[in-house]
Amino acid sequence: EDGEFARPVQFPPPPPTKDVPPFVSNFVSTAKYTVLTFLPLNLMWQFQRVANVYFLIIACLASTPLSPVESTTFWTPLIFVLGVSAFKDAYEDYRRHQSDIEENSRKTLLYSEDQRKFLTVPWKDIKVGSIVMVSTTDSEECSPMIPSDLALLASSTGDGTCFLETANLDGETNLKLREAPETLFHRVTKWAPGHETEGGTLKELQLDQISKLQITVRCNAPDAFLYDFNAKLQWEGDELPLNGGSSGGQFLQRSTKLKNTKWVVGVAVYTGPDTKIQMNMTDPPNKTSNIEGKLNSYIRGLFLFLFILCLIGSIGASIVQRSDTMKKTWYLSPDTSTTTFDTGSPDKAAFFSFFSFLILFSLLIPISLYVTVELVKAIAALIISSDLQMYAREEGIPSKARSAGLCEELGQVNYIFSDKTGTLTQNLMEFKKCSVAGIQYGRGYCEVERAIARRQGKLLPDDPVPPAGLDKGFKFVDERLLFGKWEQQESAAMLREFFINLAVNHGVQVEYGQNSELPLYQAESPDEGAFVTAARNCGFFFCKRVMKEIVIKMSDGPVGRGSDVTYTILNVNAFDNNRKRTSVVVKDARGALMLLVKGADTSVMPFIDHAACSFFEETQMHIDLFSDQGLRTLVFAGRAITAEEYAAWNKQYVAATLLPEGREDALRAIASQIEENHSHPNQPSALFDTSTEYKSALQLHGVTALEDKLQENVGECIAQLGKAFIKIWVLTGDKLETAINIGFATALLSTEMQLIRIAADDLAALPPEGALEEKLAQAQAALAVKDLDAFISACSEGMAIPACAEVFEGLRAKGQSVHGKAQQSSTSIGGGYETGPIEGKVKELILKEKVRNRLKQYRGRMGPKDSAGGFAMVIDGQCLRAAMQNDLKMQFLEVGVECRAVVCCRVTPSQKAQVTLLVKDNIPGQITLAIGDGANDVSMIQAAHIGIGIRGKEGQQAVLASDYALPRFAYLERLLLVHGRWSYNRIGTMVCYFFYKNIVFALTIFWYGLANNFSAQSLYDDGYQSLYNVIFTGLPVMFFAVLDRDLEPDMVRKHPELYSTGHWNARFSPARFWGFILGSVVHSVLLFYLTVYSLDLDVSGSNGRGTGLWTIGTAVLTNVIIVVTVTIALHTRSWSIAHVLCYGGSILIWYLFCLVYHSLPVDFWGDEQNRVHWLIQDLASEALFWLTTILSCSTCVLPILCYKYYREQYFPAIDDYYRRVVAQPELYGDGDADASNVNIGVASDSEYNANSARSAARRQSKESLASGTSREGGEGVVGRMKRKAKRLLGRNQSVQKQDPTRCDFTPAPERPVRTGSGSGAPARPGTGEQSLAGVDVSGAVPGSAKGTRGGGGG
């Protein structure tokens, strides 16, 4: 068959034919390589890096006569680098192979047609169509895990059900129910006498019936959707529907574990790579960090620099070899030609000299950089995963870095996009309040209520203590409902309906522990668990589920007692994100049929029978009140249905379950039909199509209000992130009022902020603005009275407006089409469901225009001084859909980037990803981070630069798609402010330094070439070049990149504004990178020429041997190694004995190497070794050598020391300021060691696609930080700092005249600069918004600590 049921699975399996390809086996392999393919595939992967290809070319060139050095000089480091990466990959793949062997070797029971019994076989032997038994007996041989994706046929329970634990699949530990097809189940099983259990009578399998089975399962093709399984089972002329779903259905996924069931039997439908879990085993999207992206552009610049150097050398060689002087230099044998030296053909020699110089200067691009960066990132990831302060001890869950490539990106985050439920909250639902018959119940207060009271200066009393006799942990208190007191209320009948709905309308499974009468509810969602627990404590105890029957103990006394009442579940209409409700059709003990519905208020309240509900308005007020208090509300309703109505509807329901295609859409439409009481069948939900006719017939049972408590320290974490200038956007499915109050409770919003509220209900009450909106309002009024002529006329008038012509042209065409069809069919337009789609389109256009006008209005008001506390925007789902349209989304972004916080309500999973991508794609320089805990957050997590999954109660799908996994949201503060900041500072400096030390090495060879007539001769011995990066200078930079801490965690968390250095990209800015390059050029000049001209070139050593090339090369390299090691030491901020040993040991290793290397016998390496034999011994005996080392090293290092001292004392960066506070706290008075008035303008070198959005993203003061010019017309930051520094110096001179021994840099008290609310928005100099501390976060822009401490700490 075609379509969804394109995969026929038969038992017994038919013999394979040429026309039907065989299914894949159950063998799984997650390894990337085999023994034969490892070397070629791994090398192919490694040579996808441009740097590796570059060095391979250099190594190949070094193997030709063009090379002035031995080829081993380049092959050795290249092979080492490739070998390290290959070893790492081989080890990881070896672990995968071991895991695959273990997985494929697990045992299970497979039915043998020949022997007519179940045999123990490894998992890999299972084939599609095999009958498999999985058992939970104590056998050590067989695993209770499902070996392949199975369609359930039978189980050991009397009702054919079984329970699965899906933790390996989605991380959820609650048990999932599966149900075998009833008729087939009873055929292949029989009662097992004498085996009574609490869950029912056990059954045993009839092997003779299994041998007679002839079944065909037609299912959909393999896909990665964990719970999707649409199939039908053909057996003895019947077609039985088979369904998936997280709970219910007949689908058993591979690697799930059988629980509380003795055995199950199923037919294998998907095996091996086709199983759901294997289809989902894909790596997260490959994300490249911001530093890596910039590094590639810098390397391109260095390639150009390398080309210029080689070109200079080549041209110089041509000029020298063409000159008469060279031809007369007889001692150079000018008549003897080589590849790179030919006075007879200088141009040809110069051409080949270009490649010789390319080989010599190739170390400009460091080959070991990528391996070092990878190793450093891997260690940083290990440190994150091992951090005990990010370990949830109660749950035993550590944090985990699933991606090692983004650790430095954690130090540059600008925007955080967060889910709410389960991310900011615990996803532990507590039944707090309810409303039944217009009466509110529940005596406690929730967190949001207490937060609101605190803002108002009030103090609420503690919650009442629950009375004795209730379940442990159940905190709902209201004496009117508990212990059967509900029967004494006037609304007892309605309360009964309400609690029956709570106790019956769910998918909860119930278990009992050993020797315990208390039930353990296994709920798919925390909401349902809270509902059945509340019903139990109010006298409606859900105690048993057998097949489709639910048993309720009803009592007016003690909890858990009472008489049994049975309800039969006939149909279940599952929840989906479109309808946002679920319903069941049940039959009570008397045979009466009822429809029970629960869902969001927007999905249920429109279908309540207002005429029969006298308390509708009161209930709606309670819904709004609960939402204001931050509670999650659900509406419960129902109605009686007749047998005739049910029979007709059930016929459509059964037909929909057997559809080969579009089964889910059909079931959704069928569910809407009975829930909304449609007048005609086969119509879409009235929620989305206004043309659908329905009758409001539901009876309102009540409303529940659950509290999802905030996670520990969420408010503190959000406040800290805000102070670090990180903007937080919360994307939630809650109502707008609920989201606002949660925002206040979590410190995301504050009373100082100006709230921008964009809600559809608010906008609908506004009068039309502008010509387009007015004409649309006229068209809507015409449609309201079904006057198509007036509608078409209004559209024609609208077309006359140039800006509106396209909009009204489309509307008029639709109106004319509907009008023409109505006339042809002679139907009355007044009956008029045909106009429904047009009405919906007009409403959508009106809302879009109102959103546009509202955004334009606020955009014009968002000046720098408009709100001292900044702005916060809250927008609901309908308005967000309008704002995200192509012609409006940039205006939405303009407003959003100006806000300190944004809350998007009633959003869908796709909208979460769209909002994230809107910021990510249109602000290239800004780093986005998305954090969530559920499957609905996966698209958002993968869309952001950095994805973080919370290991919550909604499974592990978010974790599996993430780059980092955290057990709690509050750990995000330490992850970003501590680990992220450290990693960014370390890696940014490390990469700059890596290029610096290599360029110093390469340019000394270049200066030697200039002094040696461009001869393309190496200055250094081949052994030096081979080991320079790997041995002599490799360890210090690794030590720095792993262990350096400019400030301790307590100081960083106490002053989160320190994080802003990453926003400036201060550690890897173009200015800093090219500053390192310029420094390397200067140092190479000083090191080469000072060393050469300071040594005695005539004689060296006691043996009278002249100072030759290798002597000079050894002396120069000695000084190079010392200087580059001291340079990294000067950048080191945290010192220990290990640092001293590492840095000092690196220099010592060079001397020990020379001592051993130069002491080898003359012929140890061949004749070439003669050039360095005993060389270091002769050099070391000369005092001039040591004096030269001291002179050249001091000349290079002292300017760095002076510059660092001057900058840190008079123009400190923000981290310099806080290091000074830690090192010399005595210079600062109490409470004076903060940076509350330091003025920081957070740079954002990002650009939008639209000009208007670009100006919004980069809105800062027009003050030029380079010139010190202020927007206010004042002297600016730089001018103020210079003036204050002069005043301090003058004051100090005055003090010294009075007392020459005294040097006082303590400034006089000064009135502090007014700061903002502390909500954490980026400060703008001169705007009066929140400012930080007259220091410069980039390290390049001047500023002073505390505004007047230009010389503090001097």
Side-chain angles (χ1 to χ4, degrees):
E1 292 185 18
D2 296 329
E4 259 186 277
F5 297 158
R7 182 183 176 97
V9 176
Q10 300 180 40
F11 177 81
T17 62
K18 295 181 180 179
D19 299 332
V20 180
F23 295 111
V24 297
S25 71
N26 204 39
F27 180 86
V28 296
S29 175
T30 59
K32 295 181 180 179
Y33 311 106
T34 66
V35 174
L36 296 178
T37 63
F38 174 77
L39 190 60
L41 289 181
N42 187 263
L43 288 177
M44 183 177 67
W45 177 81
Q46 291 204 59
F47 281 113
Q48 290 178 1
R49 289 181 173 174
V50 177
N52 287 344
V53 175
Y54 164 73
F55 273 95
L56 177 64
I57 294 173
I58 296 298
C60 292
L61 287 174
S63 303
T64 67
L66 296 173
S67 176
V69 297
E70 292 292 330
S71 60
T72 54
T73 303
F74 297 96
W75 284 112
T76 299
L78 177 62
I79 293 174
F80 175 80
V81 168
L82 296 178
V84 170
S85 294
F87 177 80
K88 177 178 71 72
D89 293 341
Y91 177 71
E92 291 176 353
D93 209 55
Y94 170 76
R95 295 181 62 182
R96 294 191 192 99
H97 274 287
Q98 295 298 109
S99 176
D100 292 342
I101 292 172
E102 180 183 355
E103 179 85 358
N104 291 311
S105 301
R106 286 197 179 107
K107 298 294 193 297
T108 192
L109 296 171
L110 178 69
Y111 182 75
S112 170
E113 298 177 61
D114 298 333
Q115 302 185 35
R116 297 194 175 186
K117 65 178 181 179
F118 284 94
L119 304 177
T120 301
V121 298
W123 281 17
K124 63 182 180 180
D125 290 349
I126 296 175
K127 300 178 181 179
V128 172
S130 300
I131 297 292
V132 178
M133 173 183 281
V134 180
S135 174
T136 58
T137 56
D138 295 332
S139 171
E140 297 181 0
E141 191 173 16
C142 293
S143 169
M145 297 176 66
I146 307 299
S148 67
D149 288 351
L150 306 178
L152 180 63
L153 301 180
S155 77
S156 60
T157 60
D159 55 7
T161 60
C162 68
F163 296 94
L164 293 182
E165 181 187 273
T166 60
N168 290 334
L169 193 68
D170 56 17
E172 297 184 14
T173 56
N174 55 301
L175 301 185
K176 308 296 194 307
L177 177 72
R178 298 292 186 266
E179 302 172 339
E182 189 172 357
T183 54
L184 181 59
F185 159 66
H186 289 306
R187 173 69 65 87
V188 299
T189 60
K190 63 180 180 180
W191 298 111
H195 293 82
E196 296 289 332
T197 66
E198 178 68 23
T201 307
L202 292 177
K203 303 195 80 174
E204 61 183 29
L205 196 64
Q206 300 187 82
L207 293 179
D208 58 330
Q209 292 295 329
I210 294 291
S211 63
K212 299 176 183 178
L213 275 182
Q214 298 283 336
I215 59 174
T216 300
V217 177
R218 296 193 176 274
C219 54
N220 48 321
D223 58 50
F225 300 104
L226 289 175
Y227 301 111
D228 282 6
F229 181 66
N230 294 325
K232 58 184 179 182
L233 188 149
Q234 298 172 339
W235 171 61
E236 295 184 351
D238 292 334
E239 289 189 345
L240 307 177
L242 302 177
N243 300 299
S246 60
S247 188
Q250 296 76 35
F251 190 46
L252 312 180
Q253 295 96 326
R254 178 183 174 127
S255 294
T256 57
K257 184 179 291 187
L258 187 64
K259 287 282 204 176
N260 298 349
T261 310
K262 188 176 180 181
W263 55 261
V264 294
V265 169
V267 58
V269 290
Y270 303 119
T271 53
D274 289 346
T275 56
K276 298 291 185 180
I277 190 170
Q278 290 294 320
M279 297 283 282
N280 276 275
M281 282 189 176
T282 56
D283 294 329
N286 187 24
K287 299 178 180 179
T288 302
S289 70
N290 191 32
I291 283 185
E292 287 185 23
K294 291 183 180 295
L295 178 61
N296 293 332
S297 63
Y298 294 159
I299 287 179
R300 287 193 291 270
L302 289 176
F303 271 122
L304 177 62
F305 183 46
L306 175 62
F307 176 81
I308 293 173
L309 292 181
C310 296
L311 192 62
I312 292 173
S314 177
I315 294 173
S318 175
I319 294 173
V320 168
Q321 294 181 36
R322 185 178 279 109
S323 66
D324 294 335
T325 303
M326 177 60 68
K327 295 177 181 179
K328 296 177 182 178
T329 310
W330 56 268
Y331 53 84
L332 294 179
S333 303
D335 296 333
T336 304
S337 299
T338 63
T339 307
T340 58
F341 181 81
D342 189 350
T343 56
S345 181
D347 293 335
K348 177 182 177 183
F351 173 76
F352 288 114
S353 294
F354 179 89
F355 296 100
S356 297
F357 282 114
L358 179 64
I359 296 170
L360 278 180
F361 306 148
S362 60
L363 280 182
L364 278 172
I365 315 296
I367 183 174
S368 57
L369 172 63
Y370 286 100
V371 173
T372 305
V373 169
E374 279 190 3
L375 186 58
V376 167
K377 289 182 177 181
I379 296 174
L382 182 62
I383 292 173
I384 291 173
S385 301
S386 305
D387 191 343
L388 293 179
Q389 294 192 45
M390 295 167 57
Y391 176 78
R393 289 177 173 82
E394 294 180 2
E395 299 88 352
I397 302 176
S399 299
K400 184 178 181 181
R402 303 186 69 251
S403 171
L406 301 173
C407 56
E408 77 276 18
E409 201 100 315
L410 293 171
Q412 295 181 280
V413 174
N414 302 94
Y415 289 88
I416 293 176
F417 298 89
S418 175
D419 176 41
K420 184 188 78 71
T421 303
T423 304
L424 301 180
T425 62
Q426 300 179 30
N427 205 13
L428 290 173
M429 302 302 170
E430 181 179 321
F431 192 87
K432 202 73 176 178
K433 300 180 182 181
C434 64
S435 172
V436 181
I439 302 173
Q440 179 181 335
Y441 298 93
R443 302 297 190 196
Y445 296 98
C446 62
E447 289 180 336
V448 173
E449 284 182 284
R450 297 186 182 278
I452 294 173
R454 285 195 296 270
R455 292 204 311 270
Q456 298 172 348
K458 302 176 182 178
L459 183 63
L460 296 178
D462 294 336
D463 287 352
V465 178
L470 297 180
D471 288 346
K472 184 180 179 181
F474 184 71
K475 300 178 181 180
F476 176 82
V477 177
D478 197 311
E479 64 280 358
R480 294 171 293 176
L481 298 183
L482 299 174
F483 304 114
K485 297 293 182 63
W486 60 270
E487 290 187 336
Q488 302 174 14
Q489 306 302 311
E490 293 183 3
S491 56
M494 188 60 65
L495 284 166
R496 177 186 176 87
E497 296 296 329
F498 172 70
F499 285 120
I500 287 176
N501 202 333
L502 261 64
V504 174
N505 186 7
H506 57 77
V508 178
Q509 307 301 321
V510 62
E511 294 180 325
Y512 294 89
Q514 293 182 353
N515 302 321
S516 175
E517 295 183 358
L518 288 177
L520 176 61
Y521 291 126
Q522 298 285 348
E524 187 175 342
S525 72
D527 305 59
E528 292 193 333
F531 294 147
V532 295
T533 301
R536 166 184 159 83
N537 284 274
C538 291
F540 295 79
F541 173 27
F542 162 54
C543 60
K544 187 186 301 184
R545 182 190 291 269
V546 181
M547 267 314 244
K548 295 184 178 182
E549 292 183 348
I550 285 181
V551 180
I552 307 295
K553 287 183 180 293
M554 293 189 181
S555 170
D556 58 359
V559 174
R561 300 291 185 264
S563 56
D564 290 355
V565 179
T566 302
Y567 291 87
T568 304
I569 307 296
L570 301 179
N571 304 88
V572 177
N573 298 313
F575 176 87
D576 64 74
N577 284 321
N578 295 314
R579 290 166 38 246
K580 293 187 178 179
R581 60 178 177 245
T582 182
S583 63
V584 294
V585 179
V586 302
K587 182 172 65 174
D588 63 14
R590 299 170 298 154
L593 299 175
M594 294 182 296
L595 172 70
L596 300 180
V597 181
K598 69 177 178 187
D601 59 303
T602 54
S603 298
V604 178
M605 294 297 280
F607 307 106
I608 299 295
D609 185 357
H610 290 214
C613 185
S614 60
F615 47 87
F616 184 88
E617 296 299 332
E618 291 84 352
T619 303
Q620 186 62 60
M621 291 173 57
H622 289 156
I623 292 175
D624 296 337
L625 176 63
F626 295 154
S627 298
D628 291 344
Q629 296 169 353
L631 301 176
R632 290 167 58 94
T633 59
L634 276 183
V635 178
F636 287 75
R639 67 182 177 92
I641 55 178
T642 64
E644 293 77 12
E645 179 187 359
Y646 172 72
W649 177 83
N650 187 55
K651 183 177 180 181
Q652 300 176 56
Y653 181 89
V654 173
T657 61
L658 295 173
L659 287 176
E661 294 182 354
R663 179 187 293 186
E664 291 183 1
D665 293 338
L667 289 173
R668 188 180 302 121
I670 294 296
S672 298
Q673 177 181 326
I674 193 170
E675 292 164 351
E676 301 170 6
N677 198 18
H678 291 176
S679 302
H680 305 284
N682 303 321
Q683 288 187 310
S685 171
L687 292 171
F688 313 108
D689 193 337
T690 56
S691 66
T692 298
E693 293 184 354
Y694 65 91
K695 182 186 296 184
S696 297
L698 291 177
Q699 302 300 312
L700 181 58
H701 291 165
V703 175
T704 59
L706 304 180
E707 181 180 19
D708 187 6
K709 290 187 176 294
L710 295 174
Q711 291 185 21
E712 186 179 0
N713 298 326
V714 164
E716 292 83 347
C717 175
I718 290 179
Q720 287 287 87
L721 295 175
K723 292 176 184 177
F725 303 141
I726 299 174
K727 297 184 178 182
I728 300 178
W729 292 34
V730 174
L731 313 176
T732 176
D734 286 335
K735 294 182 63 177
L736 186 136
E737 295 298 338
T738 304
I740 290 176
N741 286 291
I742 291 292
F744 280 109
T746 58
L748 178 68
L749 306 177
S750 67
T751 53
E752 291 82 6
M753 292 181 179
Q754 182 172 336
L755 193 63
I756 301 175
R757 177 181 171 126
I758 306 178
D761 293 341
D762 297 343
L763 297 180
L766 298 177
E769 298 180 23
L772 174 57
E773 197 173 335
E774 290 177 357
K775 288 299 177 184
L776 285 171
Q778 293 180 16
Q780 185 181 34
L783 288 175
V785 296
K786 308 300 182 183
D787 189 348
L788 280 178
D789 292 326
F791 172 77
I792 295 172
S793 175
C795 291
S796 300
E797 294 175 6
M799 291 176 61
I801 305 172
C804 312
E806 185 177 352
V807 172
F808 284 105
E809 184 178 2
L811 289 176
R812 188 180 71 166
K814 291 182 179 180
Q816 290 173 340
S817 175
V818 171
H819 191 272
K821 291 179 180 179
Q823 289 180 335
Q824 291 176 5
S825 60
S826 301
T827 59
S828 170
I829 301 298
Y833 62 85
E834 297 94 340
T835 61
I838 307 179
E839 292 180 36
K841 182 64 176 176
V842 172
K843 288 181 180 179
E844 179 184 332
L845 290 172
I846 291 175
L847 179 62
K848 179 180 176 181
E849 287 307 307
K850 288 184 179 294
V851 171
R852 187 194 306 274
N853 292 331
R854 179 57 64 94
L855 291 173
K856 184 178 179 181
Q857 171 191 355
Y858 278 105
R859 185 67 186 90
R861 290 172 49 189
M862 299 179 77
K865 296 183 179 180
D866 192 72
S867 176
F871 293 87
M873 179 167 62
V874 182
I875 183 170
D876 68 9
Q878 295 182 55
C879 295
L880 182 63
R881 280 194 295 271
M884 289 298 293
Q885 295 186 29
N886 290 334
D887 59 334
L888 198 55
K889 63 182 181 181
M890 296 311 299
Q891 296 181 39
F892 169 65
L893 186 57
E894 288 180 38
V895 177
V897 296
E898 290 294 337
C899 295
R900 297 185 176 185
V902 176
V903 180
C904 301
C905 311
R906 297 293 195 190
V907 295
T908 63
S910 60
Q911 284 180 320
K912 291 182 179 182
Q914 290 170 11
V915 172
T916 304
L917 289 172
L918 178 66
V919 176
K920 177 184 176 183
D921 294 344
N922 292 287
I923 318 180
Q926 305 287 282
I927 304 302
T928 59
L929 180 149
I931 180 169
D933 72 314
N936 60 337
D937 301 317
V938 168
S939 57
M940 174 181 71
I941 287 172
Q942 293 186 337
H945 290 97
I946 305 170
I948 295 184
I950 297 292
R951 296 185 174 186
K953 300 182 182 299
E954 294 189 20
Q956 281 194 305
Q957 293 188 54
V959 170
L960 295 175
S962 67
D963 304 300
Y964 296 87
L966 300 177
R968 294 174 186 165
F969 181 89
Y971 295 157
L972 185 62
E973 176 197 352
R974 183 173 176 84
L975 180 67
L976 298 186
L977 302 190
V978 177
H979 291 290
R981 182 177 174 278
W982 280 346
S983 295
Y984 169 72
N985 288 346
R986 294 164 176 170
I987 293 177
T989 300
M990 183 199 76
V991 173
C992 293
Y993 170 79
F994 222 105
F995 282 99
Y996 156 81
K997 71 182 183 68
N998 277 55
I999 292 175
V1000 169
F1001 181 88
L1003 286 185
T1004 51
I1005 302 177
F1006 177 74
W1007 306 130
Y1008 173 72
L1010 296 183
N1012 201 34
N1013 284 332
F1014 304 94
S1015 63
Q1017 168 64 46
S1018 177
L1019 176 63
Y1020 304 123
D1021 180 77
D1022 294 346
Y1024 301 169
Q1025 295 193 76
S1026 300
L1027 302 179
Y1028 176 74
N1029 273 322
V1030 178
I1031 302 297
F1032 304 143
T1033 62
L1035 191 58
V1037 69
M1038 278 288 298
F1039 228 75
F1040 171 87
V1042 171
L1043 298 179
D1044 187 59
R1045 298 182 176 188
D1046 60 338
L1047 288 165
E1048 291 302 310
D1050 291 342
M1051 178 61 70
V1052 176
R1053 299 178 75 176
K1054 183 178 178 181
H1055 301 285
E1057 58 269 17
L1058 285 160
Y1059 185 81
S1060 56
T1061 53
H1063 295 155
W1064 283 86
N1065 195 24
R1067 296 293 179 262
F1068 200 63
S1069 63
R1072 190 167 194 254
F1073 178 82
W1074 294 112
F1076 266 88
I1077 303 304
L1078 178 61
S1080 67
V1081 174
V1082 173
H1083 279 185
S1084 66
V1085 172
L1086 294 174
L1087 287 168
F1088 176 76
Y1089 286 104
L1090 282 177
T1091 303
V1092 169
Y1093 290 111
S1094 297
L1095 289 176
D1096 186 350
L1097 301 182
D1098 295 327
V1099 65
S1100 175
S1102 57
N1103 58 7
R1105 186 172 62 179
T1107 303
L1109 165 64
W1110 309 116
T1111 303
I1112 293 296
T1114 301
V1116 170
L1117 189 57
T1118 299
N1119 297 337
V1120 166
I1121 291 173
I1122 294 174
V1123 167
V1124 298
T1125 304
V1126 172
T1127 299
I1128 192 63
L1130 291 177
H1131 284 87
T1132 301
R1133 298 298 188 180
S1134 58
W1135 281 87
S1136 65
I1137 188 63
H1139 286 83
V1140 176
L1141 294 176
C1142 174
Y1143 296 166
S1146 181
I1147 298 174
L1148 182 62
I1149 286 174
W1150 161 250
Y1151 283 112
L1152 292 176
F1153 168 81
C1154 289
L1155 187 64
V1156 174
Y1157 187 54
H1158 297 172
S1159 300
L1160 295 174
V1162 174
D1163 57 351
F1164 186 84
W1165 296 105
D1167 294 339
E1168 290 296 322
Q1169 181 59 24
N1170 186 26
R1171 58 192 185 188
V1172 295
H1173 179 67
W1174 213 250
L1175 193 152
I1176 192 65
Q1177 288 84 346
D1178 288 341
L1179 271 177
S1181 65
E1182 296 292 327
L1184 187 59
F1185 167 70
W1186 299 106
L1187 291 175
T1188 301
T1189 298
I1190 294 173
L1191 174 65
S1192 57
C1193 294
S1194 300
T1195 306
C1196 291
V1197 172
L1198 285 177
I1200 300 178
L1201 284 172
C1202 295
Y1203 167 74
K1204 289 177 72 66
Y1205 175 82
Y1206 176 76
R1207 196 204 68 182
E1208 292 182 10
Q1209 296 302 314
Y1210 297 100
F1211 304 104
I1214 188 171
D1215 47 351
D1216 299 328
Y1217 169 75
Y1218 282 116
R1219 273 194 303 274
R1220 189 189 310 167
V1221 172
V1222 174
Q1224 297 173 299
E1226 67 276 2
L1227 296 177
Y1228 302 86
D1230 293 340
D1232 214 24
D1234 63 8
S1236 60
N1237 68 332
V1238 181
N1239 197 353
I1240 297 180
V1242 176
S1244 57
D1245 55 349
S1246 53
E1247 295 186 357
Y1248 281 35
N1249 289 341
N1251 292 332
S1252 58
R1254 183 185 303 114
S1255 63
R1258 305 184 66 180
R1259 178 189 293 273
Q1260 295 186 10
S1261 103
K1262 294 181 179 178
E1263 178 185 66
S1264 170
L1265 295 179
S1267 62
T1269 305
S1270 172
R1271 170 184 288 180
E1272 302 294 331
E1275 58 188 339
V1277 176
V1278 177
R1280 289 197 304 272
M1281 292 303 100
K1282 289 181 178 179
R1283 177 172 56 82
K1284 292 176 182 178
K1286 289 179 180 178
R1287 187 174 71 241
L1288 284 172
L1289 291 172
R1291 179 178 162 208
N1292 189 58
Q1293 291 171 359
S1294 176
V1295 170
Q1296 285 184 311
K1297 288 179 181 179
Q1298 301 174 20
D1299 183 358
T1301 63
R1302 182 181 174 193
C1303 182
D1304 184 7
F1305 272 75
T1306 306
E1310 190 168 314
R1311 186 166 62 91
V1313 179
R1314 182 176 181 271
T1315 65
S1317 63
S1319 58
R1324 302 180 178 89
T1327 65
E1329 291 190 29
Q1330 179 189 6
S1331 56
L1332 253 181
V1335 264
D1336 157 40
V1337 291
S1338 69
V1341 184
S1344 77
K1346 202 61 181 174
T1348 58
R1349 285 195 170 82

